[in-house]
Structures are given as C-alpha cells and as structure tokens.
Amino acid sequence: MTLSIQDLYDRLQLVLEDPDDGEIHGVNTLEQAGSRDLCFAENPSQADAVASSAAALVLVGEGFPEVLGKRLLRVAEPRNLFFEIAVWFAPVAASQGIHPSASVHPTADLGEDVEVGAGAVIDADARIGSGSRIGPGSYLGIGVRIGNDCVIGPNVSILRDSTLGDRCILHPGVRIGGDGFGFRWDGAGHRKVPQLGRVVIEDDVEIGCNSCVDRATLGMTRIGRGTKIDNLVQVGHNVDIGPHSILVSQSGVAGSSKLGQGVVVAGQVAISDHVTVGDGARIGGQAGVVKDVPAGVAVFGTPARPVKQALRESAALMRLPALLKQVERQQQTIDRLERRLADLGAVPSNTSSPATPSGTGSD
C-alpha cells in the first residue's frame, strides 16, 4: 500500500499546512526507517534519534521539541495512532478458496469466502464461518465450530466439538481440545479418566504458536473474549479464563483453576490446580501460584506472595551470606570469651580466710 502524505492527513481528518508531495510506503523504527517510512517518538529524549532518522514523517507528542528539517505530526497519543496506521499497511492476501489437496467432509458446512489451505482436513459436521481461513496442514475435527473471520494458521489441530467465536487467531502449531491430563490410581496402575468435555473459545481471542488448550473432563474449558495467549502456553482441563486476560509464554494453568477478568500472567508462571485468581490480578514472572490470589493484587515468587513482601524477603536472602559470616565471627568471639572465663575459674585464689586470732589466757 502507498499513501501520499496528503492522503494520510486526509484520512486522519487533519489539515496539512505545508504541501508535501512525499509518499508513505510503510512503517518502521526510527533507526531502520527509509525515506518513505512513517515512525513515532514519544519521549523528548528521542529528538536526536528523530534528527538522524531518514523517516518521511514522525508522529510525536504535542510537547515534543522541534527538529530542524524533519516533518513532525503532533498528536495526543503518537504510539496508539502509529499502530492504528500500521494496520493499513498490513498485508492481506486474497482468498485462494479451497485447495485441491484439502479434504473437506461432505457434511461440513463452509460459509462464504472461506479459504482452506493445502493438505488441510475438515472432518464431519464441522462448520466454518464466513471469511475464515484455515492454514495448510491443519485439522478440524468432528463437530468443530469456527466463527466468522477467524485465522487458523498452518498445522493447527482443533479436535472434536471445540468451538471458536468470531475473529479468533490461532498461530501455527496450536492444539485445541486434546485430552486433559486425567488419571486415577486403582492400586495397580494409572487408569485414564475419560475426557468427555469440550473447549469453548470466545470472540477475539488470539493464541500463540504451539500453545495447548485441553478439553474438559466434563463440561468445558473456556477462554474468555479478548484474551491473548502467547507461545508455548499450557491451559489444563476445565480451566476458566476470564475476558481480556494475558498469558505470556511458557506459563501454565493446571486443571480446574479459574482466572478472572483482566488477569496478567507473566512468563514461566505455574498456576496450580483448583486455584482462583481474582479480576485484575498480576502474576510476576516465574511465580508459583499454589493458593487463591485476591482481585487486583500483584504477586511474585514461589510460593507466590504480594510483591512488596516477596521483594523484602528476596533482599533479606541476598544478605544471608554476609549475615552468616557475621554470626560466625560473633560465635568465635563468644567461644574465646567462654574459654577465658573457664581459664579464670581454674586459677587458685591468692586470698585466704583470715586466721582465727589466738587469745592469751589470764590467770
């Protein structure tokens, strides 16, 4: 896509005071921008970077300093506007329809403008909403439901009876609806517990590469609308994740736990089974959550505890080697004093009891 600077201003409903015949071909960082790129800068300390950038146009805050020889567009929120404009330049491939090598079951129902890539398999009674795209090598199982305008990347597996809402994005290698990790010990071995539930993913959910969402044992595993899941995340059976939550890569949520609305789970966090995390809670990286977290609380560490407490304990732990040396020195001093006291107690006294005076008898 190519926009003239005049077209860009027109789209933004802004007035271009100084005519400019320049063009915008894309977006980029200040350092890597070419002469036809749009960039943004938020901090006045970036003025030198703006001055040395080749960018055609830079979005800046309203209080950003002037930069000689650079066209600046002053807006209230340069970062937000930049990413809104960036969407205009995102490539959108035209639908290729159903590839000849794809396998679509006769009972499957495909909406208008659905794309099915090479080698993909759409099983019996699956339904795909209008405008959705199924990537090469992906599999949609029996009874799967996909909403409108979804993007299912290459080599994704969505197993039986799983449901996706509208505008969901599943990146390559995602696995939806695999059996939950359910076994029982019968005295002789681990016996599999049938996983008879399903997965429900609501509208506008995005799931990163090679993440897994297990089906429920009974009932459903649910991912709330607007939730974003990073790469390599594990969501166990019967987990319920509320709307607009964030799960960062390599985090895991064990079975039957519940996350509220707007929860943020940082990288490599482990959340134990049957735990409730309240609305708006934040879990720091590599934390181990073994008990409920109240709404709005930020926790950190293993076991996870309030951030201030965890940081105080961490600071104290860092002082431990010095404290041990101090205790060792004090113990050595005590030992020396005890030996001296013992030595003093063993020395014979130089004083003796006063002698009984001898009297002289009188006749």
Side-chain angles (χ1 to χ4, degrees), residues 270-326:
I271 298 178
S272 187
D273 58 300
H274 298 273
V275 165
T276 297
V277 178
D279 293 348
R282 291 161 292 158
I283 316 296
Q286 296 187 328
V289 181
V290 296
K291 63 180 182 180
D292 292 353
V293 178
V297 172
V299 297
F300 181 67
T302 300
R305 52 216 185 271
V307 168
K308 289 184 178 179
Q309 176 187 344
L311 293 177
R312 285 196 301 268
E313 292 172 357
S314 179
L317 188 62
M318 292 177 66
R319 295 174 55 202
L320 186 58
L323 290 172
L324 288 173
K325 288 182 179 180
Q326 181 180 342

Side-chain angles (χ1 to χ4, degrees), residues 25-351:
H25 288 195
V27 295
N28 213 328
T29 64
L30 288 169
E31 296 75 15
Q32 299 180 14
S35 60
R36 295 181 178 180
D37 284 335
L38 171 76
C39 303
F40 78 99
E42 293 180 294
N43 196 312
S45 65
Q46 294 176 283
D48 288 343
V50 171
S52 60
S53 176
L57 178 66
V58 183
L59 305 179
V60 298
E62 293 168 345
F64 199 88
E66 288 292 338
V67 179
L68 187 63
K70 294 295 177 182
R71 179 175 286 283
L72 307 180
L73 174 53
R74 299 181 183 279
V75 295
E77 297 180 338
R79 175 185 292 267
N80 289 343
L81 183 57
F82 173 82
F83 286 111
E84 288 179 15
I85 295 171
V87 172
W88 304 347
F89 294 93
V92 179
S95 176
Q96 302 298 311
I98 300 173
H99 195 276
S101 66
S103 175
V104 180
H105 195 277
T107 61
D109 183 6
L110 276 58
E112 296 181 358
D113 300 321
V114 166
E115 179 178 332
V116 181
V121 176
I122 313 299
D123 217 329
D125 297 320
R127 293 183 183 177
I128 304 175
S130 299
S132 290
R133 292 181 284 162
I134 312 301
S138 290
Y139 171 73
L140 273 59
I142 296 172
V144 165
R145 301 288 184 265
I146 305 293
N148 298 327
D149 300 314
C150 291
V151 178
I152 310 301
N155 299 314
V156 170
S157 298
I158 307 175
L159 305 184
R160 60 173 177 80
D161 299 323
S162 298
T163 299
L164 275 68
D166 297 334
R167 299 173 301 281
C168 291
I169 301 174
L170 271 55
H171 290 276
V174 168
R175 307 295 184 223
I176 304 296
D179 280 358
F181 194 70
F183 300 89
R184 61 182 179 84
W185 179 257
D186 67 357
H190 297 287
R191 304 303 178 194
K192 185 175 180 63
V193 174
Q195 304 295 298
L196 304 176
R198 62 196 185 110
V199 174
V200 174
I201 296 174
E202 297 181 351
D203 296 345
D204 300 303
V205 169
E206 184 164 348
I207 302 179
C209 298
N210 297 318
S211 291
C212 300
V213 181
D214 291 347
R215 72 174 56 254
T217 304
L218 300 171
M220 67 177 174
T221 302
R222 184 182 73 94
I223 310 295
R225 70 184 185 280
T227 286
K228 311 301 180 185
I229 296 177
D230 199 357
N231 303 334
L232 298 169
V233 172
Q234 164 65 22
V235 178
H237 58 194
N238 292 94
V239 166
D240 190 315
I241 297 177
H244 306 296
S245 292
I246 295 286
L247 281 76
V248 181
S249 73
Q250 297 184 354
S251 58
V253 186
S256 299
S257 285
K258 182 175 181 179
L259 279 60
Q261 177 172 329
V263 171
V264 177
V265 177
Q268 296 186 333
V269 165
I271 298 178
S272 187
D273 58 300
H274 298 273
V275 165
T276 297
V277 178
D279 293 348
R282 291 161 292 158
I283 316 296
Q286 296 187 328
V289 181
V290 296
K291 63 180 182 180
D292 292 353
V293 178
V297 172
V299 297
F300 181 67
T302 300
R305 52 216 185 271
V307 168
K308 289 184 178 179
Q309 176 187 344
L311 293 177
R312 285 196 301 268
E313 292 172 357
S314 179
L317 188 62
M318 292 177 66
R319 295 174 55 202
L320 186 58
L323 290 172
L324 288 173
K325 288 182 179 180
Q326 181 180 342
V327 170
E328 184 179 353
R329 289 194 299 269
Q330 292 172 342
Q331 185 61 51
Q332 291 171 351
T333 301
I334 291 170
D335 290 344
R336 287 196 301 270
L337 290 173
E338 288 179 342
R339 286 196 298 270
R340 291 188 63 185
L341 288 172
D343 291 344
L344 289 172
V347 174
S349 174
N350 292 326
T351 61

